[in-house]
Structures are given as C-alpha cells and as structure tokens.
Amino acid sequence: MSAPTSTHPAGTFTPPPTPALSVGPIVLATPGRAVDLHLRVTAPQSGTDLPVILLSHGQGHSNHLSSLNGYAPLVHHWAAHGFVVIQPTHLSSRTLTLDPETPGAPLYWRSRVEDMTRILDRLDEIETAVPQLAGRLNHDKIAVAGHSMGGHTASLLLGARLTDDGQEVRLAEPRIKAGVLLASPGRGGDALTEQIAENYPFFLTTDFSSMTTPTLVVAGDQDTSAHMTVNGPSWHADPYHLAPGPKSLLTLFGGEHGLGGISGYDVAETTDENPERVSAVQRLTWAYLRSELYPGDAAWQLACEELAAGNPPAGQVESKPAP
C-alpha cells in the first residue's frame, strides 16, 4: 500500500483520516549532548513510501508545549493524513531542568538545529525503533515545521543564516525539501526589543535572503510578541517578505501567538483559543506540504480556494514564485 493520495470527495481537499500510532519516548544515545535525544514518532498505521515532517517545538512556559509531547492538534492531523511526524525534545525544554550554566543555555539555538540533522542522519535507526514502521519512510520527501523558537530552528534548516561571535553561520539542510514556519521570529536589528537584543545577540543578525527552500509562513495578525519585537504582528511575516521565492504567507485573522491553540488541546498559554483557526492551520499546512512534496498535487490550490470562500474567511494567502 502506498502513502495516501489527496484524492478527496467533491467539495473538500483533504482525504479521509486514517488511524495513526504514536510512540515515545524513543531515546537516541547522543554522546557529547547534555542528555540523550528523546523523540516522539507519530505515523499512519498503514501505507508505505511515507513523507516525513520534523517538528521543532517552541520555547514555551509549560512542559506540555516545550517537549516531544506538544502540538497534538497538528501532529494528529498530519499523521492521520499520510505524514510521519518526528518530534524531538530540545535542550531548551523545561522538562529537562538543565543547569543554567550548560553551554548554549537557555535557548540552545545551535543545538536545536543539530537535533534535527541528527534525526535525519539516524532515520533508519528511528524506523527500526518504532513497531510496524521499518521500511515505510520515504527518505527523499522530508519537510520541517516549527512554532515560535522552533520556527527559528526551522528557518536555519531552510537556509536562513546568522552571525555568531563574528562568524557567519549557515546550517541549511539540503535533505529538507519544504518548510512551515508558525509564528516564527522575524528580522533582527532595530526590530528587536532592547531586552532581546542585549540577551540574545544571535537574533540581531538573522538574514532570510538565503532561505531559498519552499516555505509557508503562518502569522497571526494580532500576534504582537511585544517582549521580542517593536514591529508588532508584521514581524512574523518577515520570513516571507525578506526571503526569495518560492514562498507563501498565510495570515490568520484574529490570530495571536498560539494561532488558535496549535500547541495542544489543553494548553493554558493559548490566548486566542479558536477551533476554527486551528482547523485552518491543520488543513492549509498539510495541503501546502502535500503539494510541495508531490508536485502536481492540487491540495494547496484547493485549500487556498476553500479559505477564500469562507464566510467570513479565517485568513488570507499570498504567494511569490522563485526568482
């Protein structure tokens, strides 16, 4: 049996959901890391040649959000519609309670990226560790997604760069073919608050001009992130506006940093709880990745048409082609 296609009933663009399994923690022995790398894998129970999404969690203030156990609304939807989702617990997770003096603390921006490349290097091992999954992944159809600080992680894998201690850092991962940035940080420089600029100088030099991998940027038009930026909600659209195409931007009307509640079904941090908004994120992100990884698939076009036909619409999409 092959991976589910986007064949769909008339009037919809998403195929019927299929049962999924979720296994975690899977522990990858990781010498040199402060602790071994823990993962959760969520996958369709059936199907072969399955595409993969690496999902990077945000910094968060709750254990549920900032670990392998977060983002169930997105993870369950993606897995029920044909993707294998792999979620690491980054060293920044509050579940780990690491010594504040651990190198890279507290945001571990470089370690986060290393976690994702390590997952790609050890996909065979991960497959073997999950019952019924061995041999079912398509190692050539890989995407990355990230929320908030996880969006910063994903952007570096997609080609964004920064300067650290005077050295330009490029961590683009060519095995990743598409990405989704959810309420992701924007540009540095004078867009940052004084506190962020002083305490997290790596944010100052974020440069999206080299982020060439196809990417969907998702931003809420009420996501001020006032602790990080002086530019208001438009800051989260920077990865779209400042990167070369092909890129798409989904602006969610009324959306705040939680984008309606994507981080969990019961997360106190969500300030804009809205099931319809979460559904829009589920469906549009799935459709975008489906069409990017399977050229010619109509899911993204149909999803955009459905969004525009909403009464009222949950948001709007704009896109730009490759140069």
Side-chain angles (χ1 to χ4, degrees), residues 124 160 226-227 254 268:
D124 287 335
H227 66 295

Side-chain angles (χ1 to χ4, degrees), residues 97-144:
T97 61
L98 296 180
D99 187 324
E101 299 303 315
T102 303
L107 299 185
Y108 299 95
W109 66 266
R110 189 187 291 268
S111 172
R112 283 169 153 269
V113 176
E114 292 169 349
D115 289 344
M116 306 305 246
T117 57
R118 187 173 289 115
I119 289 169
L120 293 178
D121 291 342
R122 300 172 70 174
L123 272 181
D124 287 335
E125 181 181 343
I126 294 167
E127 281 187 71
T128 302
V130 179
Q132 306 173 23
L133 191 61
R136 296 174 56 209
L137 301 190
N138 186 326
H139 292 215
D140 295 320
K141 294 190 182 298
I142 307 289
V144 67

Side-chain angles (χ1 to χ4, degrees), residues 109 148-157 162 181 184-185 202-203 206:
W109 66 266
S148 193
M149 185 61 192
H152 182 268
T153 303
S155 71
L156 294 175
L157 290 159
L162 53 79
L181 304 182
S184 183
F202 67 89
F203 275 131
T206 302

